[in-house]
Amino acid sequence: MLSVWNEVSKRLQQELKTDADAPYPQLHLTSKDVSDSPPKFPCLFVNSLGEPTEGTDLQNNQCYITSTIELQSYSAESPSGSQTEARKIMDVAGDVMFSMGYQLIYGPKQDNRNYFRTIARFRRLVGGGDEL
């Protein structure tokens, strides 16, 4: 079965956090739902909204899927955080998604609670043997 969610998470981790020139080495990256409140700030929640089969061959083997990923970036409440920080994290994460061939299908949308949050969704067709 085709699946790219782990690869997407690894690339986001690498390019936002662990590379030598990563812009957010202190970023908390998680796949656990943090919509009630993230455990640490700043935070990026990476959520797969599904990878359904979109095409099969004559032997009913999966040929390609549609991968939909939701990202939610979080910044602490004022004065230590800001909507600008949440948006900048999303902008960098969005550039990583674009570099993997994803298209923006929703957002970025700001959603302020006791903290600052920006939400965006990305989608891409992925075929067997495709590289992100």
Side-chain angles (χ1 to χ4, degrees):
M1 210 160 86
L2 293 173
S3 181
V4 294
W5 181 82
N6 281 334
E7 182 62 28
V8 168
S9 293
K10 285 181 198 174
R11 287 279 296 276
L12 287 165
Q13 171 93 10
Q14 176 185 347
E15 295 193 31
L16 270 73
K17 229 184 118 113
T18 57
D19 277 354
D21 59 347
Y24 296 101
Q26 302 302 319
L27 183 68
H28 178 71
L29 212 91
T30 185
S31 61
K32 293 183 180 179
D33 186 6
V34 293
S35 58
D36 291 333
S37 181
K40 296 179 186 175
F41 292 102
C43 180
L44 182 66
F45 170 51
V46 183
N47 185 25
S48 173
L49 298 179
E51 297 179 332
T53 300
E54 294 295 333
T56 58
D57 62 17
L58 294 174
Q59 289 74 40
N60 206 31
N61 296 315
Q62 202 176 36
C63 293
Y64 62 96
I65 61 172
T66 298
S67 170
T68 305
I69 304 289
E70 180 180 75
L71 301 179
Q72 297 180 27
S73 61
Y74 294 86
S75 179
E77 60 186 306
S78 296
S80 58
S82 69
Q83 186 62 60
T84 300
E85 180 184 44
R87 180 59 190 247
K88 284 181 180 178
I89 293 167
M90 183 60 71
D91 289 346
V92 174
D95 288 344
V96 174
M97 297 300 290
F98 295 145
S99 76
M100 292 185 283
Y102 281 81
Q103 295 180 331
L104 181 66
I105 60 167
Y106 173 82
K109 176 184 180 288
Q110 284 72 41
D111 177 33
N112 301 334
R113 300 173 180 211
N114 293 335
Y115 45 79
F116 300 99
R117 175 171 78 160
T118 301
I119 305 163
R121 292 185 185 129
F122 301 84
R123 181 174 293 147
R124 174 198 165 146
L125 287 175
V126 181
D130 282 357
E131 293 184 18
L132 298 181

